[in-house]
Amino acid sequence: MIDMKQKIIYHVLKKWDFIVQRVFYILCGLLFICTLISSGNVILRKFFSFSSNALLELQWMFFSAVFLLGAAQLLKEDGHIRIDIFYNKFRPSLRRKLTLCLHIFLTLPSLLVVFYMSLPFWLNAFMPLSPDQSWFHYLFFDQSHFEYSPNAGGLATPFAKMVLPLGFLMLIGQVISEILKLFLCISDD
Amino acid sequence: MTELLIEFLPVAMFLCLFALFLTGYQITFALMATGIIFGLIAVAVGALDIGVFAGIPENIWGQVMMNDTLLAIPFFTLMGLILERCGLAEDLLETIAKLFGPIRGGLAYAVILVGSILAATTGIVAASVMAMGLIALPIMLRYGYDRELSTGTIAASGTLAQIVPPSLVLIVLADQLGRSVGDMYMGAMLPSLLLIGLYCGYIFITSLISPEKLPPAQNSFSPSLQHRQIVIASLPIFLLLFYGAFLLFSPEKAVLFSITDTSYDQLIIWIFVLIGLIAIPLFYNLKGQKELSDILRHLMATIIPPVILIFLVLGTIFQGLATPTEAGAAGAIGALILAICKKRLSFSLLKEALEKTAKLSTFVMFILIGARIFTLTFYHLEGHELIESLFGHIPGGAIGFLIIVNIMIFLLAFFLDFFELVFILVPLLAPIATKLGIDLVWFGVILGLNLQTSFLTPPFGFSLFFLRSVTPDKDYTDKITGQIIGKITTTQIYKGVLPYIVIQLIMVALVIAFPELTYIDTAQELDMSLIDKQLPILPPLTDPVTRLF
């Protein structure tokens, strides 16, 4: 019975890791496009006297998507930087228990707070829906209800603001996945 | 009781953060959790309103996501990684070591020169130190260079990437100090050139005092040519490149033909420089010295592309043609083109470089997000006033403040990476510095130099780890001469960097003593009469249509 449970958890964890990895590959592509846009901006401005606020905004919108959504992948690979003067000298089992405790009692609640706060922040970028509109129409046809960036010719912000809660949601998912992995490790010890 | 608790909260925050850092927990989460948990405690005791937390997404959106300055980080990293992967360091080292080797101390000069070029292009300390440790160190040991001197020179030259523009440290500092990256680069230009000069001076003095430490290497270009001949023939190339660099960094000197637009003048001069460069090997070819001509062409093929890239990136920033962010992106594309020209670009190279860039920028930006959340609570609990009162009473005014801050950062840098130091401490220190009348570019350059020094200081200096990881820890047989060469001990590396740490500290002291080195305008008052003159007199509006609006 316990084995069955563990198997299911393993399976779910594997699926989740796969999704995070795929998202990260997409982000790498996004980063490359971002580089192209940014260098394209210089060339357009210098040689064709053309500049567009939309293109300028696209740069940081893409980049913020990269680092907010990429944080989960970084956590998966244990890439977030730490000070390892003492950490390296701990026994692996102690290291695991310490990380598990801190993940559960510090990181998970604080990430939840940030996520909870960023949701209304994102939703406020949409103007309220009037009763005669359908959501579908609202999202895809009538974009006058979106909040726009204050720059002339700026882009609609809801899509950029979306990555904030989404990124933290992915991070929460990854922290839970790490916690489960550590539980499985510790129960194996 | 509650008031005492509230007074104590900011102190407790710092202590708690430090404790979490020492457990080796991920720094960004430590920052985030301290900020939020203490914020919740403050809400519970009634010191803060729960609405404070609504500031978190606003803050991340406005300060982190919309940040145009920090957008330069992924671009410069991508540029550096692509250049690293396409073997720029190896090519440069091989050629320049051959050219300089037969001079006394030449290999050390070559390491410093290559270190500076790499610093201005790849800007990655680990890559520079490791490449030079792998390629230059065996050559230096083969010719009997002093072990301490060689390892020290390699570690120090590789670390130049921290201060020579376009370095990431300066970008991050500029962002946190609220100054433009261009100003910061301009300010760091002269100090970093001086630093390179001091390094070379150290090698020169050593070669005078104890020449046995730096024996000249053999001429390895070609048996039939004398080394002197090659050096003389290649001298014009370097002179032309220096002239080009000089033009780029002081555009007002380019008015030679007095055509109305300076940029056309510069274009013409640049065309002349390029023609001159092409003409040199051609000249020797026509003279019948085919071998020499080939060597020169090879030399140019390795040196000129990175130099052009430096001009492209730094030049466009200094001349105001592009923002540092765009210049970084253009540099990344330039690096890509260079890799294509060298036929070393592959899909896997690009993919790896992009993945590494994405990861590096994620961890940097997430430290910033963590630091933002931490400082949000810290500011609301009025912790910054605590710090201000702490630093406000340092005797000696601005200089006293700078000395104390530098000592503090130097000590903290033993434990913390520069990103954490800059993101956590600099926002707290910058307002105090402004109050004391310290120019923030000056302050930033001093901090940059200081943080660079921390890369070299034993026992935790990163460069020393990087060098240690590529140096032989067992005796080995040299492939070419067949002689047995002893291992490098860690103590040798530590002793080797000591003179360079002294040089660094001298440089920090010099910049503190002479703020002019950072190009800041100490006294530039506005001439009101000039401004009056520049206002054009507008004709009265007569058109009825325009008057309406």
Side-chain angles (χ1 to χ4, degrees):
Chain A
M1 196 59 201
I2 296 164
D3 267 359
M4 193 61 199
K5 255 187 197 166
Q6 280 195 347
K7 253 184 193 166
I8 294 170
I9 293 175
Y10 270 125
H11 187 73
V12 173
L13 286 181
K14 244 188 174 169
K15 263 272 159 351
W16 172 256
D17 280 359
F18 179 77
I19 295 170
V20 171
Q21 185 74 46
R22 275 299 134 101
V23 170
F24 185 68
Y25 285 149
I26 297 171
L27 294 176
C28 288
L30 217 54
L31 189 64
F32 188 58
I33 296 170
C34 182
T35 316
L36 289 179
I37 292 175
S38 188
S39 51
N41 278 341
V42 194
I43 294 167
L44 284 178
R45 191 172 61 234
K46 180 69 189 150
F47 297 105
F48 302 98
S49 306
F50 171 84
S51 78
S52 135
N53 274 335
L55 282 179
L56 287 175
E57 279 177 6
L58 218 53
Q59 291 175 41
W60 61 256
M61 284 181 180
F62 277 7
F63 179 54
S64 46
V66 170
F67 68 75
L68 280 168
L69 302 180
Q73 165 77 9
L74 201 62
L75 178 61
K76 195 178 93 190
E77 295 183 3
D78 196 13
H80 284 288
I81 196 158
R82 51 169 101 241
I83 297 168
D84 45 12
I85 306 170
F86 300 115
Y87 186 76
N88 279 346
K89 299 199 175 84
F90 292 161
R91 269 174 292 119
S93 66
L94 176 67
R95 240 186 263 178
R96 268 185 230 128
K97 277 174 193 152
L98 190 73
T99 316
L100 183 65
C101 282
L102 293 175
H103 271 338
I104 293 177
F105 295 113
L106 291 181
T107 305
L108 200 55
S110 48
L111 284 177
L112 282 171
V113 170
V114 179
F115 172 68
Y116 180 70
M117 286 293 163
S118 59
L119 259 186
F121 178 74
W122 168 49
L123 292 174
N124 280 344
F126 299 100
M127 304 292 157
L129 188 73
S130 58
D132 55 326
Q133 281 174 317
S134 72
W135 266 103
F136 186 76
H137 181 263
Y138 179 84
L139 268 183
F140 295 101
F141 294 103
D142 185 9
Q143 296 184 350
S144 62
H145 296 280
F146 292 169
E147 177 196 73
Y148 277 80
S149 86
N151 299 323
L155 297 171
T157 51
F159 299 108
K161 282 186 176 175
M162 185 180 67
V163 292
L164 192 54
L166 203 61
F168 276 94
L169 192 64
M170 276 184 73
L171 203 50
I172 289 168
Q174 191 59 44
V175 169
I176 293 171
S177 142
E178 294 296 313
I179 289 171
L180 287 177
K181 274 182 212 162
L182 285 168
F183 257 127
L184 292 178
C185 268
I186 288 172
S187 63
D188 278 353
D189 281 351
Chain B
M1 182 60 208
T2 324
E3 274 166 26
L4 199 73
L5 184 70
I6 295 168
E7 287 271 298
F8 183 67
L9 271 181
V11 185
M13 267 183 96
F14 248 110
L15 291 178
C16 188
L17 184 71
F18 202 66
L20 274 180
F21 277 2
L22 287 184
T23 60
Y25 196 51
Q26 279 101 328
I27 282 181
T28 165
F29 295 142
L31 281 162
M32 232 182 263
T34 330
I36 286 175
I37 303 287
F38 274 85
L40 288 175
I41 293 174
V43 169
V45 298
L48 286 183
D49 185 62
I50 189 87
V52 166
F53 288 124
I56 293 173
E58 296 275 352
N59 225 307
I60 298 177
W61 169 254
Q63 310 274 342
V64 185
M65 291 169 75
M66 285 172 83
N67 194 321
D68 257 341
T69 311
L70 293 181
L71 188 56
I73 290 179
F75 297 152
F76 280 117
T77 314
L78 185 61
M79 169 181 161
L81 284 172
I82 294 173
L83 286 177
E84 182 207 341
R85 291 294 154 84
C86 71
L88 179 81
E90 287 78 1
D91 290 355
L92 272 174
L93 262 176
E94 253 167 48
T95 319
I96 295 185
K98 266 189 198 168
L99 187 67
F100 282 35
I103 307 166
R104 185 166 287 280
L107 288 176
Y109 293 124
V111 165
I112 295 174
L113 183 66
V114 173
S116 341
I117 297 178
L118 289 180
T121 47
T122 65
I124 304 169
V125 174
S128 311
V129 172
M130 283 170 157
M132 294 200 289
L134 278 174
I135 303 161
L137 193 64
I139 305 175
M140 291 170 112
L141 294 181
R142 185 182 306 149
Y143 288 107
Y145 269 60
D146 184 64
R147 280 144 187 283
E148 289 165 14
L149 187 93
S150 331
T151 48
T153 310
I154 289 172
S157 313
T159 315
L160 282 172
Q162 289 284 307
I163 190 71
V164 174
S167 87
L168 293 187
V169 184
L170 293 174
I171 296 176
V172 174
L173 274 168
D175 174 64
Q176 293 295 308
L177 290 168
R179 298 297 297 259
S180 82
V181 178
D183 282 353
M184 203 58 105
Y185 281 176
M186 210 61 183
M189 205 67 217
L190 205 56
S192 46
L193 285 178
L194 259 176
L195 195 62
I196 296 166
L198 284 179
Y199 283 4
C200 290
Y202 166 66
I203 297 292
F204 184 69
I205 291 171
T206 317
S207 68
L208 288 184
I209 297 172
S210 41
E212 75 284 351
K213 280 187 179 177
L214 309 151
Q218 260 173 7
N219 176 14
S220 46
F221 264 123
S222 122
S224 61
L225 278 171
Q226 280 203 327
H227 182 253
R228 184 186 299 269
Q229 256 178 311
I230 301 170
V231 170
I232 291 173
S234 62
L235 216 53
I237 298 177
F238 285 100
L239 284 179
L240 275 172
L241 285 179
F242 271 121
Y243 181 60
F246 171 72
L247 277 184
L248 211 74
F249 295 120
S250 50
E252 68 275 8
K253 301 267 177 10
V255 189
L256 273 187
F257 306 98
S258 54
I259 303 172
T260 44
D261 193 348
T262 331
S263 60
Y264 284 112
D265 272 11
Q266 258 199 314
L267 198 67
I268 293 170
I269 299 176
W270 267 98
I271 291 168
F272 274 115
V273 169
L274 275 181
I275 291 173
L277 282 175
I278 298 165
I280 295 165
L282 266 179
F283 168 74
Y284 285 104
N285 205 354
L286 288 178
K287 244 176 106 183
Q289 291 169 303
K290 191 135 185 359
E291 208 177 353
L292 188 57
S293 158
D294 283 345
I295 289 175
L296 287 181
R297 221 176 315 140
H298 177 69
L299 196 68
M300 279 167 57
T302 32
I303 295 178
I304 291 179
V307 170
I308 286 182
L309 211 56
I310 296 172
F311 287 171
L312 188 84
V313 172
L314 290 184
T316 46
I317 296 174
F318 288 158
Q319 302 213 343
L321 290 178
T323 63
T325 307
E326 293 166 339
I333 301 296
L336 216 55
I337 293 170
L338 188 73
I340 294 171
C341 290
K342 287 194 167 191
K343 298 196 179 84
R344 279 179 192 157
L345 186 76
S346 59
F347 179 72
S348 68
L349 183 149
L350 185 62
K351 186 176 151 241
E352 254 175 64
L354 281 170
E355 276 182 24
K356 247 187 154 175
T357 310
K359 279 175 203 160
L360 184 120
S361 30
T362 305
F363 104 65
V364 174
M365 299 310 273
F366 253 80
I367 293 173
L368 180 60
I369 291 177
R372 282 273 143 207
I373 294 175
F374 177 83
T375 28
L376 194 76
T377 312
F378 194 68
Y379 267 60
H380 278 289
L381 291 171
E382 286 165 0
H384 59 294
E385 284 176 13
L386 203 76
I387 299 230
E388 253 174 60
S389 63
L390 208 66
F391 280 92
H393 298 301
I394 294 171
I399 301 290
F401 170 77
L402 282 178
I403 291 171
I404 296 286
V405 163
N406 272 301
I407 292 173
M408 190 181 79
I409 292 212
F410 184 77
L411 293 178
L412 278 176
F414 282 120
F415 308 99
L416 293 175
D417 200 26
F418 78 90
F419 288 117
E420 292 103 74
L421 271 177
V422 174
F423 286 141
I424 303 169
L425 283 182
V426 170
L428 295 172
L429 294 175
I432 310 172
T434 319
K435 257 185 204 165
L436 288 169
I438 296 169
D439 184 279
L440 288 182
V441 170
W442 181 38
F443 188 51
V445 173
I446 295 170
L447 288 187
L449 278 168
N450 195 340
L451 290 170
Q452 184 208 349
T453 315
S454 72
F455 265 69
L456 284 178
T457 2
F460 300 123
F462 285 101
S463 297
L464 309 177
F465 285 127
F466 299 144
L467 186 61
R468 177 72 272 183
S469 68
V470 292
T471 45
D473 50 3
K474 288 193 188 86
D475 297 356
Y476 68 102
T477 327
D478 190 273
K479 271 180 201 156
I480 293 176
T481 55
Q483 57 185 225
I484 293 167
I485 289 176
K487 61 182 178 182
I488 298 271
T489 63
T490 311
T491 329
Q492 283 170 340
I493 300 180
Y494 286 177
K495 275 190 188 162
V497 290
L498 277 182
Y500 287 97
I501 295 172
V502 174
I503 293 176
Q504 291 288 142
L505 294 180
I506 291 174
M507 200 56 223
V508 174
L510 271 179
V511 178
I512 292 180
F514 303 102
E516 300 84 10
L517 286 175
T518 56
Y519 278 114
I520 52 168
D521 302 321
T522 32
Q524 204 181 46
E525 292 198 0
L526 285 176
D527 189 354
M528 289 320 246
S529 59
L530 248 168
I531 292 171
D532 279 340
K533 266 182 212 159
Q534 282 172 352
L535 272 175
I537 301 156
L538 293 167
L541 295 173
T542 44
D543 185 10
V545 181
T546 37
R547 201 184 281 169
L548 264 179
F549 292 98

